[in-house]
Amino acid sequence: MATPPLSPADAEEEEARELLYEAYNELQALAAELGGAAGAPAVVVVGHQTDGKSALVEALMGFQFNHVGGGTKTRRPVALHLRFNPRCDAPQCRLLAGPGDEDEDAGVAGRPMPLADIQAYIEAENMRLESDPCQFSDKEIIVKVEYKHCPNLTIIDTPGLILPAPGRKNRVLQSQASAVESLVRAKIQHKETIILCLEDCSDWSNATTRRVVMQVDPDLARTVLVSTKLDTKIPQFARPSDVEVFLHPPICVLDVSLLGDSPFFTSVPSGRVGSCHEAVFRSNEEFKKAISSRESEDITSIEDKLGRSLTTEEKERIGVGNLRLFLEELLRKRYIESVPLIIPLLEKEHRNATRKLREISQEISDLDEAKLKEKAQLFHDSFLTKFSLLLKGMVVAPPDKFGETLINERINGGTFTGSENFQLPNKMMPNAGMRLYGGAQYHRAMAEFRLVVGSIKCPPITREEIVNACGVEDIHDGTNYSRTACVIAVAKARDTFEPFLHQLGFRLLYILKRLIPISVYLLEKDGEHFSGHEVLVRRVQAAFRRFVESTEQSCRERCMEDLESTTRYVTWSLHNKNRAGLRHFLDSFVAPEQLSVNTLHEQLPGLNDNRQDRAKTDSKSNHSSDTNSSGAVPETRLVDLLDSTLWNRKLVPSSERLVYALVHQIFHGIREHFLVTTELKFNCFLLMPIVDKLPALLRQDLESAFDDELDSIFDVTQLRQSLGQKKQEMEIEVKRVKRLKEKFGEINKKLNCPRVRQ
């Protein structure tokens, strides 16, 4: 039967539709080349297992290609990219490799394939996943279809949702159900997606699929509700009132802004297309005729049940054909509504492309020595400005791209760990979870160094270490416990603090080197870079690395000199901050009636500082106390003290505790001095030279490069060729964008023509 000719208005509307689809084809191709996105509207089909999703998708397309049957068949999403092509009287299909596909898929991807081969491939994938431990995959099987009877549209058939039984023995199936539900939610979360929600039930109170869909689309505002397998439900209704409730759900059940206002009802005839004896249909044409016949039979059956004829509005909700017409009209409106929004975007893209073409032409004309030197100087100044701002603090560079948490910083820049591998917990560090860069990251690293080193205690002291440190004096064989304590303290301090010095230098060096790519990013973001600046960036980066590495080494050597001097000679004035605490400690294990504190100071002269007036006051106080007491300390007590500290090498508890107290006093004094001087020197001799001396050094390096050869900064020959190629590509892009802008302008005029809108 021949198709009746279209009226002039319908013919003009059909022409506008074809022009619109062709323009969208060009827009999508241009967006793909420019790295943007201009995706066609997408319809995602959602339903439970055996709801008939795949069969409905095939019926909507008018040809069979999928794996259909009882049980779980679809185990991997199938994405149909439909593309309008007026020259294709029959569907032309290509199987495209989905994201993350294995190499074996690459052999079949990208080439035209008959529908039977695509169907066999999909069935093979489902069979493979059925025996796979994961059972399902979120990687799409992408099929590109070109056909003159389809709009630009993407239809995605998702795996069926699962309702597992409760209980521990069903944990595997419960896990699979959760995975499938997460996969489906991810596919329907985009706001532009149209959701085709399938419900295989005769009672709308059972919201099996809607339960999942409404988690993403609570009001079902972009959801088309479809009741499948209508031919099996009609016989279930005993009374006309049941059919009325089914066709017209009450507000208490579907009190939402449903897309299309009410559900659709469909039936798909069972049977496959093919030439084998199991096939029911010999061609896709027979399949489409069977779909149309099923629609008529369903309407007749419903009218028989109701005892009345269906209204036009009710008939428009029954059958695959009416659902297809609704989706096509919905998509056409989406296309038409987007046209006025696309035209300004294309105008903006045309302006940008034209501006880039002018900039490239200007760069080609500026390829002479004087202008290149001027560009290099401007780049140098802009680079230093960005670098300085990064140290002072700024928020222009995205932290998610350039920032580092403390964990990442420790992984890449090293940790502050001592001989006992102690590491400060993250929760004790302020801003540990924040992604920092620049001066903020430098400050956090210095604060962590301060906390780690400041919390270090004196390492344990063994009795063997005390005895070995006593040695033999050059004038007598007695023991000098003040010297013993100094020997032990400086050795442990040197071994403890020297590794932290190298770790701090390495960490700060790493943080400063990270500023180079961030500075270049800021230059590109602000449009302050130019073509062929890569060689200049590498030269600046090399000069910066040499400078900061040599500066860090010089700063570290200064700090090493301080550490060596502090651990080479003990100056008691550095360690007397806790002198009162030490005095109390000594009084605690030497009874006052046995020995006065002043006597101990006479035995350990190293504890005396240069405050002679305080020593005299102590002597007077002790003398007054002794006078008021029953008498002077017996000489035998003094002999006992000398016997236990000076003449006896046997380490008694009192001597051990004395050495222990002195070592801790000296060690903590060295630690405090090390912290203060190290932080001060790294700020003064590493950070400040970068602020003060780096600009002059980079400028000197740039001027010396100008004296040598210009190609050491710019690859002029390569730059000229690259700019010429970019100019040709940009000229083509300007023409394409201009033509596309004019085409969408023409479409907009036709769509706004009163005759077309009617």
Side-chain angles (χ1 to χ4, degrees):
M1 182 177 174
T3 304
L6 298 175
S7 65
D10 291 339
E12 187 172 350
E13 185 175 358
E14 181 69 16
E15 181 185 354
R17 184 178 70 89
E18 293 183 5
L19 185 63
L20 176 64
Y21 291 161
E22 287 180 354
Y24 259 98
N25 287 344
E26 292 187 33
L27 179 63
Q28 289 168 349
L30 180 64
E33 293 179 10
L34 299 179
V43 176
V44 179
V45 185
V46 181
H48 279 76
Q49 287 181 354
T50 69
D51 278 356
K53 301 182 311 304
S54 301
L56 180 61
V57 171
E58 289 182 337
L60 289 170
M61 297 299 98
F63 53 86
Q64 293 184 353
F65 64 93
N66 213 336
H67 190 193
V68 177
T72 301
K73 296 302 182 185
T74 304
R75 297 183 176 273
R76 183 175 169 185
V78 179
L80 290 172
H81 291 294
L82 306 179
R83 183 174 179 269
F84 170 76
N85 190 339
R87 294 180 296 276
C88 294
D89 295 326
Q92 300 294 321
C93 303
R94 292 175 182 268
L95 182 66
L96 305 181
D101 277 351
E102 302 296 336
D103 294 338
E104 56 263 22
D105 289 352
V108 299
R111 61 182 177 85
M113 296 180 66
L115 290 174
D117 290 352
I118 290 180
Q119 183 176 350
Y121 176 81
I122 294 175
E123 289 182 3
E125 276 295 290
N126 290 331
M127 295 294 291
R128 179 184 66 83
L129 287 171
E130 188 174 356
S131 59
D132 189 86
C134 297
Q135 294 281 309
F136 297 92
S137 172
D138 60 349
K139 300 174 184 176
E140 294 178 351
I141 298 175
I142 302 176
V143 181
K144 184 177 180 181
V145 182
E146 295 187 12
Y147 195 25
K148 71 176 183 180
H149 295 304
C150 68
N152 287 7
L153 168 67
T154 298
I155 294 184
I156 302 176
D157 183 16
T158 60
L161 298 168
I162 304 172
L163 287 175
R168 297 184 61 183
K169 63 180 181 180
N170 297 308
R171 283 182 299 180
V172 175
L173 193 60
Q174 292 166 6
S175 175
Q176 294 175 4
S178 176
V180 172
E181 189 171 318
S182 299
L183 186 155
V184 170
R185 283 201 303 266
K187 294 295 181 185
I188 64 177
Q189 66 180 351
H190 302 290
K191 300 300 182 182
E192 299 79 13
T193 300
I194 299 171
I195 306 170
L196 209 60
C197 177
L198 276 55
E199 296 277 21
D200 182 13
C201 62
S202 55
D203 184 358
W204 289 112
S205 300
N206 297 322
T208 53
T209 305
R210 279 173 288 157
R211 177 189 60 83
V212 177
V213 171
M214 293 180 73
Q215 295 177 18
V216 180
D217 185 21
D219 297 329
L220 300 180
R222 53 187 178 91
T223 300
V224 179
L225 193 57
V226 181
S227 175
T228 58
K229 303 179 183 180
L230 177 63
D231 54 336
T232 65
K233 295 183 177 62
I234 296 174
Q236 300 176 18
F237 298 115
R239 294 174 298 178
S241 59
D242 296 335
V243 182
E244 292 285 0
V245 172
F246 182 62
L247 293 178
H248 305 284
I251 297 177
C252 62
V253 177
L254 283 177
D255 187 16
V256 288
S257 55
L258 185 67
L259 187 60
D261 298 329
S262 63
F264 284 84
F265 306 89
T266 63
S267 298
V268 178
S270 60
R272 306 303 293 166
V273 174
S275 57
C276 62
H277 69 280
E278 297 177 352
V280 177
F281 311 108
R282 297 302 171 187
S283 66
N284 284 312
E285 291 299 324
E286 288 188 19
F287 176 56
K288 288 190 286 186
K289 289 180 182 179
I291 295 172
S292 180
S293 299
R294 172 56 63 188
E295 181 178 324
S296 301
E297 294 172 4
D298 288 342
I299 292 175
T300 302
S301 299
I302 292 176
E303 288 178 340
D304 291 342
K305 283 285 185 180
L306 288 173
R308 66 173 178 84
S309 298
L310 294 175
T311 64
T312 303
E313 291 78 10
E314 290 173 335
K315 289 180 180 180
E316 289 177 351
R317 296 291 164 176
I318 297 174
V320 175
N322 287 319
L323 176 61
R324 187 179 192 275
L325 290 175
F326 174 80
L327 291 176
E328 286 182 347
E329 180 64 19
L330 180 63
L331 294 172
R332 188 183 72 85
K333 290 180 180 179
R334 291 282 180 96
Y335 275 119
I336 292 174
E337 290 171 357
S338 64
V339 168
L341 303 177
I342 290 175
I343 293 175
L345 295 177
L346 288 173
E347 290 178 348
K348 180 180 178 181
E349 186 62 34
H350 183 260
R351 290 194 301 269
N352 292 338
T354 305
R355 176 181 55 81
K356 291 179 182 178
L357 181 60
R358 287 197 303 267
E359 291 175 355
I360 293 174
S361 301
Q362 184 63 38
E363 285 191 42
I364 293 176
S365 63
D366 289 347
L367 290 179
D368 62 80
E369 184 174 346
K371 291 185 177 180
L372 286 176
K373 287 184 177 180
E374 182 181 353
K375 284 186 176 183
Q377 296 288 0
L378 290 175
F379 178 86
H380 166 272
D381 296 339
S382 300
F383 172 81
L384 289 174
T385 300
K386 304 300 182 188
F387 191 91
S388 176
L389 287 175
L390 285 172
L391 284 177
K392 293 177 181 179
M394 64 186 311
V395 295
V396 179
D400 57 342
K401 183 177 181 180
F402 295 106
E404 281 188 335
T405 63
L406 184 59
I407 293 177
N408 294 332
E409 182 182 325
R410 286 172 173 176
I411 293 173
N412 299 320
T415 59
F416 295 125
T417 55
S419 57
E420 298 180 359
N421 293 325
F422 169 78
Q423 188 169 324
L424 196 70
N426 284 346
K427 62 182 180 180
M428 296 183 61
M429 266 300 301
N431 305 325
M434 294 188 179
R435 293 170 291 190
L436 305 182
Y437 56 78
Q441 190 176 10
Y442 179 96
H443 184 273
R444 183 178 64 184
M446 191 65 79
E448 183 188 6
F449 171 80
R450 204 162 44 240
L451 283 176
V452 172
V453 177
S455 62
I456 292 177
K457 304 299 181 183
C458 181
I461 306 169
T462 65
R463 294 169 60 87
E464 290 179 344
E465 287 177 327
I466 296 176
V467 174
N468 279 311
C470 289
V472 177
E473 294 285 349
D474 57 353
I475 196 170
H476 67 88
D477 63 351
T479 54
N480 185 349
Y481 285 117
S482 61
R483 181 189 179 282
T484 299
C486 292
V487 170
I488 296 174
V490 297
K492 290 188 176 295
R494 176 70 176 267
D495 294 341
T496 301
F497 299 127
E498 184 175 353
F500 287 103
L501 199 56
H502 297 279
Q503 292 166 10
L504 178 63
F506 186 83
R507 174 81 76 88
L508 297 181
L509 197 60
Y510 164 75
I511 292 172
L512 293 172
K513 287 180 179 179
R514 291 187 65 241
L515 299 181
I516 294 289
I518 305 178
S519 300
V520 174
Y521 166 82
L522 295 176
L523 290 174
E524 294 176 351
K525 185 176 184 297
D526 295 343
E528 298 179 5
H529 74 294
F530 52 90
S531 300
H533 75 292
E534 292 83 5
V535 179
L536 179 59
V537 170
R538 288 196 295 269
R539 187 177 186 94
V540 170
Q541 187 172 7
F544 175 81
R545 285 180 179 274
R546 290 194 300 269
F547 176 76
V548 295
E549 287 174 359
S550 62
T551 305
E552 185 274 332
Q553 182 180 357
S554 174
C555 176
R556 187 160 30 86
E557 289 174 353
R558 290 172 181 264
C559 294
M560 278 300 301
E561 288 180 358
D562 275 350
L563 182 61
E564 289 175 358
S565 62
T566 312
T567 56
R568 175 68 179 84
Y569 188 82
V570 175
T571 304
W572 288 101
S573 59
L574 293 177
H575 314 300
N576 64 354
K577 295 180 180 179
N578 295 325
R579 189 168 182 269
L582 182 62
R583 181 188 297 272
H584 176 73
F585 171 77
L586 294 175
D587 289 341
S588 67
F589 73 92
V590 180
E593 66 271 16
Q594 293 178 343
L595 182 64
S596 69
V597 174
N598 191 51
T599 308
L600 283 175
H601 276 252
E602 293 175 0
Q603 166 63 18
L604 302 171
L607 291 176
N608 292 318
D609 55 13
N610 53 4
R611 301 175 185 176
Q612 297 296 332
D613 54 339
R614 180 162 185 170
K616 292 176 180 179
T617 304
D618 291 339
S619 299
K620 292 179 181 179
S621 175
N622 289 329
H623 178 71
S624 176
S625 174
D626 290 342
T627 304
N628 295 332
S629 64
S630 59
V633 177
E635 293 183 2
T636 55
R637 299 292 188 185
L638 181 59
V639 173
D640 290 340
L641 175 65
L642 293 176
D643 184 59
S644 62
T645 58
L646 180 62
W647 299 333
N648 191 352
R649 290 259 171 168
K650 184 178 180 180
L651 199 61
V652 297
S654 59
S655 302
E656 184 178 354
R657 293 173 66 188
L658 179 63
V659 172
Y660 182 85
L662 291 174
V663 169
H664 278 67
Q665 181 78 4
I666 299 169
F667 182 89
H668 293 154
I670 295 175
R671 183 191 64 190
E672 297 302 319
H673 182 75
F674 172 76
L675 266 177
V676 173
T677 57
T678 300
E679 183 175 1
L680 183 63
K681 279 184 166 53
F682 268 95
N683 287 334
C684 292
F685 300 111
L686 175 62
L687 183 62
M688 295 312 298
I690 292 176
V691 176
D692 300 335
K693 299 179 180 179
L694 181 62
L697 181 137
L698 292 182
R699 185 175 296 278
Q700 182 181 358
D701 182 78
L702 199 62
E703 291 174 353
S704 64
F706 286 151
D707 296 337
D708 296 339
E709 187 179 0
L710 198 61
D711 280 341
S712 62
I713 300 179
F714 303 100
D715 190 347
V716 181
T717 304
Q718 178 63 30
L719 186 58
R720 195 180 299 276
Q721 294 177 354
S722 174
L723 289 174
Q725 181 67 25
K726 286 184 178 180
K727 183 179 180 181
Q728 293 179 2
E729 295 173 355
M730 192 55 62
E731 288 173 346
I732 295 174
E733 181 181 327
V734 169
K735 292 179 181 179
R736 289 181 63 187
V737 175
K738 181 180 179 182
R739 183 177 66 250
L740 197 57
K741 183 186 70 170
E742 293 173 350
K743 182 174 289 189
F744 270 93
E746 181 182 351
I747 293 169
N748 194 38
K749 289 180 181 179
K750 288 188 176 182
L751 293 175
N752 287 299
C753 177
R755 188 172 50 181
V756 174
R757 291 191 300 179
Q758 292 174 357

